[in-house]
Amino acid sequence: MLEGFSPCEVEGPAGALHTLRGGRGAPLLLLHGHPQTHLMWHAVAGDLAKVFTVVMMDLRGYGDSARVSSDAEHQAYSKRAMALDAVAVMRHYGFERFQVLAHDRGARVAHRLAADHPDRIQRLMLLDIAPTLAMYDNTSEAFAHAYWHWFFLIQPPPLPEALIESDPVRYVRSVMGKRHAGLGAFAPAALAEYERCAQIPGTAKSICEDYRASATIDLAHDRVDVAAGRQLAQPLRVLWGEHGAVGQCFDVLGLWRERARDVSGRRLPCGHYIAEEAPALLLAEALNFFKT
């Protein structure tokens, strides 16, 4: 599904990171969401690689990247730590400055990456998220029902892990299949890959730690930025699905304008999984936004 891309295992700060590279031109890093892998970009990566050097990576704890041990403060899965993985990957390929296209959990990593390493990130496009702190602070009943997994995964171990590990495929299909487009939005080979990776030992623990970090240490980092009046300086483009819970429950543009200086964006006629539900629209947006 990703012809022309070469795989490489890159040693990150806490373990091996599964990556792929293809194309030529200005560097563009793609970061995936939960419970997916780099393969979520299969419908757009090839066309992006005609213009950019595209690098894809599996986030730590996902896909074929390392399952990293964590601690009581969930530091190993803080978005600050995960952002350093991205820096290491791009440095491995010889890129000190680059642009970022990211979805869902990867977009939260990208937000912290741009905040902590402003000199490295030239532009970023974030798909179907509002700032983490704002989403928790403004949680409604409608959002809690739609994003039940946010509140399930942050429960203390070992209950969430045990329930996921009892049937990882059912977990993936439940999370992804109950949204707007259902499982029909996903290419069978891509869905099979998400299911394979969910069954790798340690995945359930890593997923839970990712979400536990977002509800604890990541919020602390965000509050420091807000208190200091720090805003992202890079041009930021945000896209969200009109049929998704994020756009229905939050003022996406308004919330990002509180956290970044140069923000634009719009809703697209799809649900949460933009890259797989509306790849042609996403490709047009990306080619128009990112600099060659």
Side-chain angles (χ1 to χ4, degrees):
M1 299 181 76
L2 290 168
E3 293 183 9
F5 286 85
S6 300
C8 179
E9 304 302 308
V10 175
E11 191 61 32
L17 299 162
H18 183 64
T19 74
L20 292 90
R21 174 182 174 169
R24 60 175 61 88
L28 176 63
L29 174 65
L30 276 52
L31 299 176
H32 67 85
H34 159 274
Q36 299 168 287
T37 74
H38 71 274
L39 200 60
M40 63 157 282
W41 303 109
H42 68 87
V44 297
D47 286 320
L48 289 172
K50 296 175 183 178
V51 182
F52 302 99
T53 298
V54 173
V55 176
M56 292 173 281
M57 61 179 284
D58 289 339
L59 301 174
R60 63 169 65 182
Y62 291 86
D64 287 310
S65 287
R67 274 65 178 155
V68 178
S69 297
S70 193
D71 57 22
E73 295 182 349
H74 319 295
Q75 294 185 67
Y77 286 87
S78 71
K79 303 310 159 288
R80 175 160 287 161
M82 296 171 81
L84 289 174
D85 288 344
V87 171
V89 165
M90 295 306 278
R91 180 177 290 138
H92 168 85
Y93 285 114
F95 303 125
E96 295 296 330
R97 284 175 56 78
F98 50 94
Q99 303 177 99
V100 184
L101 169 59
H103 174 248
D104 190 72
R105 309 309 293 175
R108 301 190 191 285
V109 175
H111 179 199
R112 180 48 54 191
L113 177 62
D116 285 359
H117 308 278
D119 292 340
R120 295 187 180 278
I121 308 306
Q122 298 163 303
R123 288 175 165 251
L124 68 162
M125 179 179 287
L126 306 182
L127 305 183
D128 213 59
I129 71 161
T132 307
L133 178 59
M135 290 178 71
Y136 272 114
D137 282 351
N138 295 281
T139 288
S140 63
E141 182 179 355
F143 176 69
H145 277 285
Y147 270 43
W148 57 270
H149 61 288
W150 271 40
F151 307 97
F152 163 66
L153 294 170
I154 67 175
Q155 298 305 307
L159 182 59
E161 291 91 333
L163 292 176
I164 294 170
E165 288 170 348
S166 70
D167 195 341
V169 170
R170 184 176 185 178
Y171 173 76
V172 169
R173 287 177 170 258
S174 294
V175 171
M176 300 178 68
K178 290 183 179 179
R179 299 201 185 191
H180 166 69
L183 291 175
F186 308 105
L191 182 60
E193 182 68 358
Y194 307 150
E195 294 171 353
R196 178 189 71 82
C197 292
Q199 298 176 76
I200 295 174
T203 298
K205 178 69 171 178
S206 296
I207 288 173
C208 291
E209 285 299 296
D210 173 16
Y211 279 79
R212 288 171 184 142
S214 282
T216 55
I217 190 169
D218 291 344
L219 298 184
H221 294 157
D222 285 351
R223 288 189 179 106
V224 170
D225 287 348
V226 170
R230 297 192 191 101
Q231 292 184 304
L232 299 184
Q234 305 91 340
L236 168 63
R237 181 77 171 167
V238 293
L239 304 173
W240 64 95
E242 65 175 325
H243 302 295
V246 173
Q248 293 173 353
C249 296
F250 301 97
D251 175 8
V252 180
L253 273 181
L255 291 171
W256 278 114
R257 284 170 176 156
E258 295 176 0
R259 303 298 302 276
R261 299 174 194 167
D262 181 1
V263 184
S264 64
R266 70 183 183 102
R267 65 183 183 180
L268 298 179
C270 62
H272 176 64
Y273 298 100
I274 294 173
E276 289 164 291
E277 293 181 47
L281 293 175
L282 175 58
L283 181 63
E285 286 278 348
L287 293 175
N288 184 61
F289 176 73
F290 291 115
K291 298 296 185 182
T292 58

